[in-house]
Amino acid sequence: MVDALGQEIANVPLLETKFYLPKWHSGLVSRPRLLEHIHPQRKLTLVSAPAGFGKTTLLAEWSAAVPKSPIAWVSLDKGDNDPVFFWTYLITALQQVQSKLGGRSLSLLQSPQPPSIESVLMTLLNELTAVEADITLILDDYHAISTPTIHDGIGFLLNHLPPRLHLIIASRADPPLSLARLRSHGELSELRVSDLRFTPDEAATFLKQGMGLEISAGEISALEQRTEGWIAGLQLAALSLQGREDIADFVAAFSGDDRYIVDYLLEEVLQRQPESVRRFLLQTSILERLSGSLCDAVTNHADGQVMLETLERSNLFIIPLDNKRQWYRYHHLFADVLLAHARIDWPERLPRLHAQASVWYEQHDLFSEAIRHALAAQDFERAANLLEPVWPAMRNRQQEATVLSWMKVLPDSLIRTRPILSVAYALVLLNAGQIEGIETYLQDAERELEQFTPTSSPADSQAAQRANEAQYRFLPASIANTRAFRAQAMGDFGSTIAYAQQAMTLLPSEEGYERGTTAAFLGLAYWATGDVEAAYRSFAEGMRIFQKLGGTQIVVAATLILANMGMAQGWLQTPIQACEQSLQLSTQSGSVLQGTAEVYLALSEIRYEQGDLATARQLLQRGESLHNQVSVSGANYLWWLVKAQLTAAQGDLDTAYEQLHEAAQLYRQSPVPNVRPAEALKVRWWLLQGRLAEALSWVQECGLSVADPPSYLREYEHLTLVKVLIAQYQRDLTEEIIHQAIEFLTRLLSAAEAQERTGSIIKVLVVLALAHEAHGDLPAAISPLKRALTLAEPEGYVRIFAESGTPMAQLLHEAANRDITPDYTSKLLVALKAWGQPQNEAPAAAPQPLIEPLSQRELDVLRLLNTELSGPEIARELVVALSTVRTHTKRIYGKLNVSNRRAAVKRAAELELI
């Protein structure tokens, strides 16, 4: 047989296309980071990944990068599984780059009575040893080879490979070679799926340049994440996008249902699998994670682990999730296709598969997955039974959103007959911002509770039979807590406090988590009413409870709130200690906990209040470096607000306004009171710039009046109103205005004193001193200033005095003459000289030859447009939002009468603006 085949090969010409080295051109995405992993000094480079990950293209680029190195290429297919065909092609490929190489070994292979393959290879190795040039042999699509003797021959070749020959194998599956031995001897280089996935930058280059798509950065990022960097997936998505106008909608909906993805995976993967593998894939398509035991439970077979290992070796879009190869998952798009076909082929089987998965997960104490599969199986009673006992733990871990997604699937009639679920549903709906309809669920729970006693399980109460008795004991407290939460959301702080106090009374002493939650929530309610002493005491008590329970994460995440409560009391040193303790807790945990970034934010603001701007900036930068990883949701407003204050303190009000605008855009109402509205802060800066008309317009628009009753929540706005009135008096010298301002300040001071809000007292006293100074009554001004200095000195306040400018400087000089807090007063006078001064101030710009000149900020943007920086990079450089950069850019184009970046730079150069 071999004799005849050898004669046939000698007479039949070989396919020249199999030796074709694919060309790489500049229109493709260059991947220099991967080229460095191909080491000709090692025996073997293995490029192993599923279809469509760019293996061949990568090797084409590498080949183009080493043009002087001889490269022999063979594109393999199933027809090469005959050993004689395979080795003939391999030796002929080597001859393509070294004509004198392989003559004798090829003759032996094609002789009428050829020797063993091992003998042929020994002859080939001897010939290779005599070659002086370095040669690379690339075997592409090696997964097509399934003949054991060929694998044995490649293994023999690798064992005796001369130093001048380097072998590269590209395959969809790991070849059955001694990879572990090669790896341990440092003779193997590997490129796998994790390496070959497109990075976001590579995906952007591919979609924009390679596929010619006009697509936004956000849409590129969404596609890259959805395809997990799978190049073929991106290409198929791009094919689907050709000619579409609804790009954003398509990207949002892109999944494994896309017809190109389906066609590709069907043709290239599913239809080529044995029936046993295909059945296994479809049965396990319902699973987000796969293990041998779990697959056995779903498929009712005992070969799950073997099948998973086989799929991994075959690179069948399966991804290991641990180093022990116990857990896997399918590539997301592949999973989409599998599940879509399972729904078509086996619609009646899927509920049973989900039910079996649910049982397995419950047996292994993985209740979240057990509930999810019970819901998918539409076994709602089972899902409810599983959910009730785990609800407290889910809430402790702040997983209310997950619980809400489950409960939306449960029939409403089932929820309403189970008190624990009724209260849980009311609470998770509130967390999601839904207020209406909450009370009906709480009333349902109370009605069901009337039928239940801890010592009996009446037959007419199914919920009582199934629920955890411990939960029932504190369910009345949970109902009161939920009502407190709802009242808080509606701005009814009196009811909030009443319900929260009721909950504390009802809660069993051993129910630590619920008591901690209630104490913290009560603290927030007190804060909103201005009772900051009670607020701090209650909130701190809640944090002590959580820390005792091991809830370090909650303590760290809540530190920002606790620090702001402390500052409301006029404290700065105590919040610093709280922040430092939280940072220590985060460090001791072994990882950076959520909320650590906001601890740095709180410290930054405190140092800002103390006038240490350099340290404040450093702390803010340290926090921002962690912000995207471990940030607390809802704190973005404060990030931009503190950033804006620091920028303004450095004298750059233009940038500060932009940052303040970003803060205002990000503000969302929450139980944490907004005691420093961005709009009021902007008005204060207007006054610094003499923009009184705009400030007066703000007063009129927001409806503020000196006749308003004092309110803690509006105190910052009221003090801003008084500052506007002082400026108005200085312009108009209308006595009534200044008298009204001073009288209103007196009422604000009385309200702050009644609630012992030292922070508020200091702020009101400072403005009162400024009002008397503006009126020319220096003795009257010194009295509140002296008291403010006395209260502020122990905590080290600086900002509140320094930002008041020249009038405060005059008052402080007078205080110094009267020997009032002399050391502190001297420190404040020094701070006043530096406060608000621009750092590294640029020289004045030359007159611009434009009808409408560019602002200083627009000039800053224009100079950066004349660099290689992208839009996001310019935004980071200027410490502004990308939307702000775009707004400036549009204005620049309009003023220069151009339509693009290149034209703007050219026109600006002509006008000597850059």
Side-chain angles (χ1 to χ4, degrees):
M1 177 71 177
V2 173
D3 295 0
L5 193 54
Q7 288 294 331
E8 182 179 350
I9 290 174
N11 296 325
V12 176
L14 299 175
L15 289 171
E16 291 294 327
T17 54
K18 294 172 70 68
F19 306 119
Y20 177 75
L21 181 61
K23 300 299 181 185
W24 189 88
H25 56 82
S26 58
L28 299 171
V29 179
S30 179
R31 313 188 77 187
R33 66 182 178 86
L34 300 182
L35 301 182
E36 298 173 357
H37 289 274
I38 301 176
H39 298 290
Q41 298 81 9
R42 296 182 181 175
K43 285 186 175 182
L44 174 64
T45 292
L46 175 63
V47 185
S48 179
F53 271 94
K55 301 183 292 295
T56 301
T57 305
L58 175 66
L59 294 179
E61 182 181 8
W62 181 82
S63 301
V66 288
K68 296 183 179 179
S69 177
I71 297 174
W73 182 290
V74 184
S75 295
L76 299 167
D77 55 45
K78 288 186 176 181
D80 300 317
N81 271 290
D82 183 278
V84 177
F85 269 106
F86 177 88
W87 293 109
T88 298
Y89 272 111
L90 187 148
I91 295 170
T92 304
L94 292 171
Q95 285 185 328
Q96 300 276 331
V97 297
Q98 283 285 329
S99 58
K100 297 179 180 180
L101 178 64
R104 177 159 173 71
S105 54
L106 194 58
S107 297
L108 288 172
L109 190 63
Q110 296 176 351
S111 64
Q113 293 183 336
S116 66
I117 291 297
E118 187 170 303
S119 298
V120 174
L121 293 181
M122 290 183 66
T123 302
L124 176 62
L125 288 166
N126 290 333
E127 292 176 291
L128 286 168
T129 304
V131 175
E132 296 180 356
D134 291 327
I135 299 175
T136 300
L137 171 63
I138 299 177
L139 301 178
D140 196 21
D141 290 334
Y142 189 83
H143 56 270
I145 304 303
S146 58
T147 304
T149 56
I150 294 179
H151 298 313
D152 293 340
I154 291 293
F156 180 85
L157 189 66
L158 282 169
N159 289 338
H160 303 89
L161 202 67
R164 291 287 191 179
L165 181 63
H166 174 57
L167 179 62
I168 298 178
I169 290 178
S171 176
R172 296 183 184 179
D174 281 3
L177 305 172
S178 299
L179 298 179
R181 181 182 58 78
L182 290 168
R183 192 180 292 118
S184 65
H185 291 172
E187 298 173 335
L188 175 66
S189 295
E190 297 175 86
L191 283 165
R192 297 188 173 275
V193 171
S194 58
D195 306 303
L196 292 167
R197 287 183 178 125
F198 264 173
T199 64
D201 288 342
E202 289 170 340
T205 301
F206 174 75
L207 292 170
K208 287 185 174 181
Q209 298 179 12
M211 300 302 293
L213 291 176
E214 292 294 328
I215 186 169
S216 71
E219 290 161 349
I220 290 171
S221 176
L223 284 177
E224 188 273 333
Q225 292 177 19
R226 194 72 181 93
T227 59
E228 299 184 54
W230 180 37
I231 302 167
L234 281 168
Q235 185 172 17
L236 294 168
L239 289 172
S240 300
L241 282 168
Q242 299 294 341
R244 282 180 176 269
E245 294 182 358
D246 58 337
I247 290 180
D249 292 339
F250 171 83
V251 171
F254 179 71
S255 70
D257 292 333
D258 182 83
R259 65 185 182 90
Y260 288 102
I261 300 292
V262 172
D263 292 345
Y264 182 86
L265 291 174
L266 277 178
E267 182 177 348
E268 291 292 323
V269 182
L270 276 180
Q271 292 181 0
R272 299 186 178 206
Q273 303 308 314
E275 177 57 31
S276 59
V277 173
R278 185 176 183 277
R279 182 173 62 252
F280 179 86
L281 291 171
L282 293 178
Q283 287 175 319
T284 57
S285 65
I286 65 165
L287 303 173
E288 291 185 355
R289 298 186 304 158
L290 308 110
S291 73
S293 173
L294 174 57
C295 292
D296 289 345
V298 172
T299 63
N300 290 323
H301 285 78
D303 59 350
Q305 188 63 34
V306 174
M307 288 294 291
L308 291 173
E309 292 174 0
T310 301
L311 294 177
E312 183 186 8
R313 284 195 301 271
S314 302
N315 268 328
L316 204 57
F317 293 97
I318 191 169
I319 300 169
L321 300 177
D322 56 41
N323 293 327
K324 297 179 180 180
R325 297 306 196 262
Q326 292 180 345
W327 284 98
Y328 299 81
R329 72 168 174 84
Y330 293 126
H331 185 286
H332 291 318
L333 289 175
F334 187 51
D336 287 347
V337 171
L338 289 178
L339 189 56
H341 280 272
R343 286 169 176 159
I344 294 171
D345 294 353
W346 298 340
E348 74 289 347
R349 299 190 199 177
L350 290 186
R352 177 177 56 81
L353 296 175
H354 280 293
Q356 291 170 184
S358 179
V359 171
W360 186 93
Y361 276 119
E362 182 188 8
Q363 291 171 347
H364 290 78
D365 295 329
L366 298 168
F367 291 101
S368 293
E369 291 84 354
I371 292 168
R372 185 174 62 81
H373 283 286
L375 292 171
Q378 296 190 339
D379 189 344
F380 299 125
E381 284 285 345
R382 173 178 172 76
N385 293 340
L386 290 168
L387 175 54
E388 283 182 341
V390 301
W391 156 241
M394 297 289 286
R395 186 183 177 193
N396 290 1
R397 294 195 295 266
Q398 300 177 340
Q399 293 179 315
E400 288 97 337
T402 300
V403 174
L404 177 59
S405 68
W406 293 340
M407 298 192 75
K408 282 185 174 180
V409 182
L410 290 175
D412 195 62
S413 57
L414 178 64
I415 294 173
R416 290 181 179 277
T417 59
R418 304 177 78 128
I420 291 174
L421 293 188
S422 293
V423 176
Y425 196 40
L427 191 55
V428 295
L429 285 173
L430 276 171
N431 278 328
Q434 181 175 326
I435 298 176
E436 300 302 322
I438 300 301
E439 180 62 25
T440 59
Y441 287 101
L442 300 179
Q443 291 174 0
D444 289 335
E446 287 176 325
R447 184 173 56 255
E448 290 293 325
L449 275 174
E450 291 175 357
Q451 306 175 42
F452 172 79
T453 58
T455 57
S456 65
S457 297
D460 59 346
S461 178
Q462 294 182 1
Q465 295 174 10
R466 297 185 175 93
N468 185 294
E469 185 175 304
Q471 287 195 67
Y472 269 81
R473 285 206 308 274
F474 66 82
L475 207 52
S478 294
I479 293 171
N481 250 337
T482 307
R483 286 189 169 124
F485 190 176
R486 180 174 179 269
Q488 175 88 354
M490 297 174 67
D492 183 356
F493 304 118
S495 296
T496 301
I497 293 171
Y499 282 126
Q501 289 174 334
Q502 179 186 358
M504 288 294 282
T505 303
L506 292 170
L507 277 169
S509 58
E510 70 273 13
E511 184 41 50
Y513 179 86
E514 198 75 16
R515 292 189 71 86
T517 300
T518 305
F521 194 74
L522 190 55
L524 290 172
Y526 282 131
W527 189 12
T529 65
D531 192 349
V532 293
E533 191 277 330
Y536 191 92
R537 184 177 64 248
S538 185
F539 197 86
E541 174 62 21
M543 294 308 103
R544 280 191 289 271
I545 292 172
F546 285 129
Q547 189 165 352
K548 190 179 296 184
L549 293 172
T552 303
Q553 170 66 83
I554 298 174
V555 174
V556 172
T559 301
L560 175 64
I561 294 175
L562 191 65
N564 276 278
M565 285 181 174
M567 285 189 278
Q569 282 193 270
W571 300 337
L572 297 182
Q573 304 301 337
T574 300
I576 288 174
Q577 294 172 7
C579 289
E580 289 174 346
Q581 289 170 2
S582 285
L583 290 178
Q584 188 175 4
L585 286 174
S586 183
T587 302
Q588 291 171 350
S589 73
S591 61
V592 181
L593 298 177
Q594 184 185 33
T596 305
E598 280 68 29
V599 177
Y600 284 105
L601 174 66
L603 282 171
S604 174
E605 183 167 14
I606 294 169
R607 294 307 183 189
Y608 163 78
E609 292 286 349
Q610 294 178 326
D612 188 352
L613 300 184
T615 301
R617 286 194 300 273
Q618 291 171 3
L619 289 165
L620 188 68
Q621 290 168 358
R622 178 75 178 97
E624 285 187 311
S625 68
L626 302 172
H627 182 47
N628 293 331
Q629 307 171 41
V630 287
S631 183
V632 174
S633 61
N636 286 333
Y637 167 74
L638 279 177
W639 279 102
W640 283 99
L641 191 70
V642 173
K643 192 183 299 184
Q645 289 182 153
L646 274 170
T647 304
Q650 297 165 30
D652 185 0
L653 279 176
D654 285 344
T655 303
Y657 283 127
E658 295 166 1
Q659 294 168 337
L660 200 61
H661 175 72
E662 293 298 325
Q665 295 294 107
L666 291 167
Y667 176 71
R668 300 290 182 272
Q669 190 172 358
S670 73
V672 178
N674 181 18
V675 294
R676 187 178 27 176
E679 194 67 23
L681 178 56
K682 180 170 68 175
V683 173
R684 296 188 178 200
W685 293 345
W686 283 345
L687 294 175
L688 292 176
Q689 294 179 306
R691 297 161 65 177
L692 179 58
E694 292 166 274
L696 288 169
S697 295
W698 169 78
V699 172
Q700 198 168 23
E701 289 172 6
C702 63
L704 289 170
S705 167
V706 291
D708 292 341
S711 163
Y712 173 68
L713 288 180
R714 303 208 74 180
E715 179 181 88
Y716 191 84
E717 292 171 295
H718 282 149
L719 289 175
T720 305
L721 164 65
V722 173
K723 289 190 173 191
V724 174
L725 295 178
I726 293 172
Q728 186 182 14
Y729 167 75
Q730 290 172 319
R731 185 193 68 180
D732 301 339
L733 298 178
T734 304
E735 288 293 317
E736 183 182 1
I737 291 176
I738 197 66
H739 288 308
Q740 287 179 344
I742 292 173
E743 191 276 331
F744 189 39
L745 285 169
T746 304
R747 288 194 289 121
L748 291 176
L749 182 60
S750 296
E753 290 172 335
Q755 291 187 310
E756 299 181 348
R757 287 187 272 111
T758 304
S760 296
I761 292 171
I762 295 172
K763 294 171 188 174
V764 175
L765 288 170
V766 167
V767 179
L768 185 58
L770 291 171
H772 285 300
E773 190 277 338
H775 195 215
D777 191 347
L778 193 59
I782 289 299
S783 177
L785 178 65
K786 179 180 179 180
R787 187 180 173 196
L789 290 169
T790 304
L791 292 172
E793 183 179 18
E795 302 297 331
Y797 277 95
V798 170
R799 188 272 307 173
I800 192 171
F801 300 98
E803 70 176 6
S804 298
T806 303
M808 180 55 67
Q810 294 170 348
L811 286 173
L812 289 173
H813 278 299
E814 184 63 27
N817 293 335
R818 300 186 184 207
D819 203 31
I820 298 172
T821 60
D823 293 340
Y824 184 43
T825 302
S826 298
K827 176 184 176 182
L828 293 177
L829 284 168
V830 172
L832 261 163
K833 292 179 181 179
W835 197 270
Q837 297 300 315
Q839 297 184 352
N840 302 321
E841 189 171 3
Q848 300 175 21
L850 295 171
I851 296 175
E852 185 181 356
L854 299 176
S855 69
Q856 182 58 51
R857 201 51 166 167
E858 288 165 353
L859 285 170
D860 293 340
V861 173
L862 179 59
R863 292 186 186 103
L864 293 176
L865 290 176
N866 191 28
T867 67
E868 297 298 321
L869 295 179
S870 65
E873 289 169 337
I874 291 174
R876 286 195 292 271
E877 182 73 16
L878 295 175
V879 200
V880 298
L882 180 58
S883 60
T884 301
V885 171
R886 288 172 175 161
T887 300
H888 284 311
T889 304
K890 284 183 179 179
R891 291 174 182 164
I892 292 168
Y893 289 174
K895 292 180 180 181
L896 296 178
N897 193 26
V898 296
S899 59
N900 58 61
R901 180 172 180 170
R902 181 178 297 177
V905 169
K906 181 180 178 182
R907 178 65 175 148
E910 292 171 352
L911 297 173
E912 299 183 354
L913 295 176
I914 56 175

